[in-house]
């Protein structure tokens, strides 16, 4: 009975941690809801498994096989887009605040930052050991801001295999 209670408590705490991360991203999205065009797209495990299954039918395309294998490790994808056709965009300060909140409050680590021609990409990760875990990508362009939130069971080796496959083409 003790082990059942401990297991139930651990599951509750892990679900609470994921909800807190989603709440942080939802609050950021809601901040711009009245002043910009805001959309959210969410794909669950079933849709991703179906996509993986469709990619596995093509036995000749090695890229499709590798991508299908990677899709099996993704549990959930949520994409938030904030676009403003009037020329305004999400401020750099707000993005910096979101990034620091994810790092400070949600214990995300910064994996990568890139800039090119006014576009900025920040990739943050919250995983254990060699598992990728939860990944948040913040992509800012001139008139659009995109947040991609991935819940995965992918290992770093899976990502390296995917990179090597696409680099070889």
């Amino acid at each position: 009975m003790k082990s059942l209670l401990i297991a139930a408590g651990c599951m509750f705490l892990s679900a609470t941690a994921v909800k807190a991360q989603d709440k942080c991203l939802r609050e950021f999205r809601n901040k711009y809801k009245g002043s910009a065009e805001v959309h959210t797209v969410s794909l669950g495990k079933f849709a991703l498994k179906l996509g993986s299954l469709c990619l596995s039918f093509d036995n000749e395309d090695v890229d499709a096989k590798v991508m299908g294998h990677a899709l099996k490790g993704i549990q959930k994808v949520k994409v938030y887009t904030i676009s403003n056709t009037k020329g305004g965009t999400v401020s750099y300060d707000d993005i910096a605040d979101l990034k620091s909140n994810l790092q400070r409050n949600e214990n995300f680590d910064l994996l990568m930052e890139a800039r090119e021609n006014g576009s900025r990409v920040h990739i943050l990760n919250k995983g254990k050991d060699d598992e990728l875990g939860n990944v948040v990508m913040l992509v800012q362009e001139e008139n659009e801001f995109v947040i991609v939130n991935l819940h995965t069971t992918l290992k770093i080796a899976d990502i390296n295999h995917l990179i090597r496959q696409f680099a070889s083409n």
Side-chain angles (χ1 to χ4, degrees):
M1 185 67 172
K2 256 187 186 179
S3 60
L4 179 63
L5 288 173
I6 291 171
C10 289
M11 287 179 65
F12 174 74
L13 290 175
S14 66
T16 304
V18 170
K19 280 293 192 189
Q21 166 197 331
D22 289 342
K23 181 182 176 194
C24 179
L25 297 175
R26 251 190 338 268
E27 286 174 351
F28 184 84
R29 177 201 63 190
N30 290 340
K31 180 178 181 179
Y32 286 92
K33 212 168 199 169
S35 61
E37 197 172 314
V38 178
H39 299 282
T40 303
V41 177
S42 184
L43 292 175
K45 189 171 185 168
F46 178 74
L48 293 166
K49 288 266 188 201
L50 186 61
S52 173
L53 180 67
C54 291
L55 287 173
S56 69
F57 288 137
D58 189 0
N59 290 331
E60 295 176 14
D61 191 0
V62 179
D63 289 343
K65 272 189 170 183
V66 172
M67 194 62 179
H69 178 70
L71 279 177
K72 287 180 184 177
I74 299 174
Q75 306 299 312
K76 180 179 169 184
V77 177
K78 198 172 258 191
V79 179
Y80 304 96
T81 62
I82 302 170
S83 57
N84 194 345
T85 56
K86 299 173 188 163
T89 186
V90 177
S91 73
Y92 292 118
D93 293 338
D94 286 347
I95 295 170
D97 287 343
L98 175 62
K99 191 172 88 169
S100 69
N101 282 342
L102 288 170
Q103 288 177 309
R104 185 180 55 245
N105 299 338
E106 307 300 329
N107 300 317
F108 274 79
D109 296 321
L110 184 65
L111 285 182
M112 183 184 87
E113 287 184 323
R115 295 179 192 169
E116 183 180 340
N117 299 331
S119 298
R120 294 179 183 204
V121 178
H122 308 277
I123 301 178
L124 298 111
N125 176 49
K126 182 180 181 181
K128 299 175 185 164
D129 299 328
D130 70 334
E131 189 174 278
L132 208 54
N134 296 328
V135 177
V136 174
M137 292 181 266
L138 310 173
V139 182
Q140 183 179 21
E141 293 188 356
E142 189 174 321
N143 292 326
E144 189 171 43
F145 181 67
V146 178
I147 301 171
V148 180
N149 185 10
L150 299 167
H151 298 278
T152 74
T153 58
L154 292 171
K155 306 280 186 209
I156 299 296
D158 297 330
I159 300 301
N160 286 336
H161 181 67
L162 191 64
I163 291 170
R164 280 193 299 275
Q165 177 60 39
F166 288 125
S168 67
N169 293 337

